[in-house]
Each structure stands twice: as structure tokens, then as C-alpha cells.
Amino acid sequence: MASNITLTMIKPDAVAAGNSGKIIDLIIQSGFKIQAMKLTRLSKEKAEEFYAVHKERGFFGDLVKFMTEGPIVAAVLEKDNAVEDFRKLIGATNPANAAEGTIRKLYATDIERNAVHGSDSDENAAIEASFHFAGVERF
Ligand code: GDP
């Protein structure tokens, strides 16, 4: 299968806790190539846009508040089967249900403050990569 991509964000909880380096190392050691990466901060408007699919959910306001509370690390990752393999590496949304050794098991606090984002489909990976990066920022 041809290499494809996924979009990750190391969320404000994990950046503030100083876990970005360990998480990036785990991602590289798991076979992902970094196409693009930056430290950035989402505005309220951009966080609402990124998570628009969840806007009717009860936790939407809390999620937007959390995702804008501090800087994030956004990255485009390349690997065969990138979306599925990265979802396996990060583990379940709720760290209480995440498998041993997964990023969320290692670094997440709870179902909201769960350390990392990973795209859920190839289609969304392409949309999310373009959300964070211009073509000239990807290698
Ligand atoms: P993901 O694809 O595993 O990130 O999970 P979802 O797309 O379902 O949810 C997006 C993000 O919203 C999650 O990563 C959490 O940060 C947050 N979230 C999901 N479910 C809940 C919930 O029940 N309560 C709260 N407070 N946050 C949630």
C-alpha cells in the first residue's frame, strides 16, 4: 500500500506537562515520518472550526476551552496505513480504556485532557493537514 498521512496535535495538557519530546520520539520510533511540524495555538474560532463535527455535543464548550488554553504541537505524519496505525498508537479516547503502551495510556489525564489527536479517516487527515499547514510547509 502507498504511504499515506495522518494529522496529529499534541494537545495543551501534554505540551504544558513537558511531554512533547517523549511523544514525538515515540511517534518516530513507531515508524512515522514527520512531513510538517509546528508549535502553535488555536484561537477559539479555529478550535470551533476544527471540532465542528462535535458542536452539538454537551462537551463542545469545554473541549474548545481546553484546546485553546495553551500551545499545541501540530504535525503531519506519513506512514503506510497511517490513520489506522496512528489510532492504534494513541489508544482509546478515554485513557481508562487505552491499551498499555499507547500514548494516551502513558500521558493522558482523562477523556477530555487526552494528550493527542489523531485523524479518524484518510479524508479527514487531508482536510486537517490543510487546516494546519500550507503545501510549502510540508516535506
Ligand atoms: P478522538 O477521535 O479519540 O479524539 O475522539 P472524539 O473525536 O470522539 O472526540 C474529540 C475530542 O473531544 C477527544 O479527543 C476529547 O478531547 C474530547 N472528548 C471526547 N469525548 C468527550 C467527553 O465525553 N467529555 C469531554 N469532556 N470531552 C470529550
Side-chain angles (χ1 to χ4, degrees):
M1 186 206 259
S3 283
N4 54 13
I5 60 131
T6 191
L7 184 283
T8 190
M9 296 183 289
I10 302 176
K11 297 185 179 183
D13 58 328
V15 174
N19 291 327
S20 302
K22 285 178 279 193
I23 292 171
I24 292 164
D25 192 45
L26 197 48
I27 290 170
I28 293 169
Q29 296 306 322
S30 301
F32 293 86
K33 174 182 169 273
I34 295 171
Q35 276 193 359
M37 178 172 276
K38 67 181 164 193
L39 185 70
T40 185
R41 185 170 183 167
L42 291 172
S43 64
K44 182 169 179 281
E45 292 70 28
K46 292 297 271 182
E48 285 172 350
E49 184 186 339
F50 190 91
Y51 284 110
V53 67
H54 293 307
K55 67 174 183 292
E56 307 302 335
R57 310 284 291 274
F59 61 80
F60 183 68
D62 288 341
L63 174 60
V64 168
K65 193 160 177 249
F66 161 53
M67 287 302 296
T68 56
E69 74 181 26
I72 62 167
V73 176
V76 180
L77 308 175
E78 180 184 337
K79 186 182 183 295
D80 289 349
N81 206 32
V83 166
E84 194 183 336
D85 285 3
F86 194 68
R87 297 289 301 193
K88 265 187 216 147
L89 178 63
I90 68 179
T93 306
N94 186 343
N97 303 324
E100 288 299 328
T102 59
I103 294 173
R104 283 171 168 167
K105 182 70 174 186
L106 289 165
Y107 300 114
T109 303
D110 57 36
I111 193 168
E112 177 179 279
R113 305 178 73 80
N114 61 2
V116 279
H117 168 81
S119 307
D120 64 3
S121 67
D122 289 342
E123 188 190 357
N124 283 335
I127 293 167
E128 293 173 2
S130 300
F131 178 95
H132 280 292
F133 297 97
V136 293
E137 295 177 300
R138 289 173 59 179
F139 301 94

